[in-house]
Amino acid sequence: MTLVIMAAGMGSRFGGLKQVEPVGPNGEFILDYSIYDAIKAGYDKVVFIIKEENYDLFRETIGKRIESKIKVEYVFQDIKDVPKGVKIPETRVKPWGTSHAILSCKNVVNEPFAVINADDFYGFQPYLKMKQFFSKKRNDNEYAMIGYIAKNTMTENGAVKRGVCKKDSNDYLTQLIESSIEKKGNKIIATPLEDEQNPFEINENTLVSMNFFGFNPSIFKYLEDEMIEFFEKNKNNLDKCEFLIPSSVFKRINESKISVKVLDTNEKWFGVTYKEDKKDLVNAINKMITDGKYPKNLWS
């Protein structure tokens, strides 16, 4: 089982390269805790999706800490990696999104894999649940997703991107609306990223996606095919559009090409979407160390 970590985002809301922002007592990053949990759950390879210009920074920090603990590979998400004929606007600086990121590791991943964001702290249980799911024989088009309770994924400091989910009686995903969700008074309001004119209220116990998916390598062919459609559909919006994995997954569910099992978790999310979030994350990690969930020095 491989862990793929999407770390090519620019961290614009946080104000810097938040993937290498120290949060642990010995300078550990969120990435360190994610990889520690994955190793504990039985994963044997980690793939970092990064920008090529950040390779030395990643290798000298996180890479060298873990290379003796687990197999490590690096792939580069390149803004120039687009279908033939696509003219990239000079104003475009952001990566093309999570589907594009995942596609960039197609040449190094040939086994079931979990995919996560670099700047989200997910807790141990999801890594174990995903590993257990793929430990049983699955067909090539059977995937999984960790479903978080909405109230466990919020920050007091602003809106966060979450996929608002529905599932059927057998726990298979039936709806996924990539949204910006935010507390407004006593309500949680979700604003769909592709339909900002129609916000809707969600319950605090609504299941949401945190981009913690489990895939078989069959996902790469679906994403390759869809990328051509994506760039054609967005040819007049190439400065801002994003090719997002929740939308890609739901598209194939609608076509009955894939099934996605929702694996529920009660874990609480922590992250650094905003600078103000860091204090809460550091306090939470210190408490987990006190409670014995993590050693004080993660890699010693």
Side-chain angles (χ1 to χ4, degrees), residues 122-146:
Y122 291 96
F124 170 69
Q125 187 191 55
Y127 296 94
L128 183 61
K129 283 197 166 192
M130 194 65 78
K131 177 69 166 63
Q132 290 171 338
F133 178 84
F134 283 102
S135 293
K136 297 177 182 175
K137 182 147 182 72
R138 305 287 174 184
N139 71 56
D140 288 346
N141 294 305
E142 192 171 0
Y143 306 153
M145 185 204 85
I146 302 295

Side-chain angles (χ1 to χ4, degrees), residues 50-65:
I50 59 175
K51 288 183 177 178
E52 188 169 7
E53 60 263 35
N54 292 334
Y55 171 74
D56 289 337
L57 174 64
F58 263 81
R59 180 77 199 280
E60 289 302 312
T61 53
I62 184 72
K64 288 198 170 174
R65 286 209 282 263

Side-chain angles (χ1 to χ4, degrees), residues 219-231:
I219 188 69
F220 297 127
K221 181 65 169 70
Y222 290 131
L223 295 179
E224 281 181 320
D225 292 345
E226 190 189 352
M227 187 163 74
I228 296 169
E229 300 170 24
F230 169 82
F231 279 101

Side-chain angles (χ1 to χ4, degrees), residues 3 15 30 35 64 97 102 109 124 128 155 169 174 185 195 201 206 225 234 248 253 274 283:
L3 178 65
I30 292 177
I35 295 160
K64 288 198 170 174
I102 292 168
V109 177
F124 170 69
L128 183 61
T155 170
S169 58
T174 60
D195 188 13
E201 183 179 352
T206 298
D225 292 345
N234 289 282
S248 297
I253 289 174
Y274 303 94
N283 290 340

Side-chain angles (χ1 to χ4, degrees), residues 191-204:
T191 303
L193 299 187
E194 295 184 354
D195 188 13
E196 294 182 356
Q197 305 306 312
N198 289 296
F200 58 98
E201 183 179 352
I202 63 172
N203 185 287
E204 65 176 13

Side-chain angles (χ1 to χ4, degrees), residues 151-170:
K151 67 180 179 182
N152 288 342
T153 74
M154 307 292 293
T155 170
E156 298 291 339
N157 299 308
V160 288
K161 284 183 185 177
R162 304 287 182 257
V164 179
C165 304
K166 289 184 180 176
K167 61 179 182 175
D168 64 19
S169 58
N170 294 314

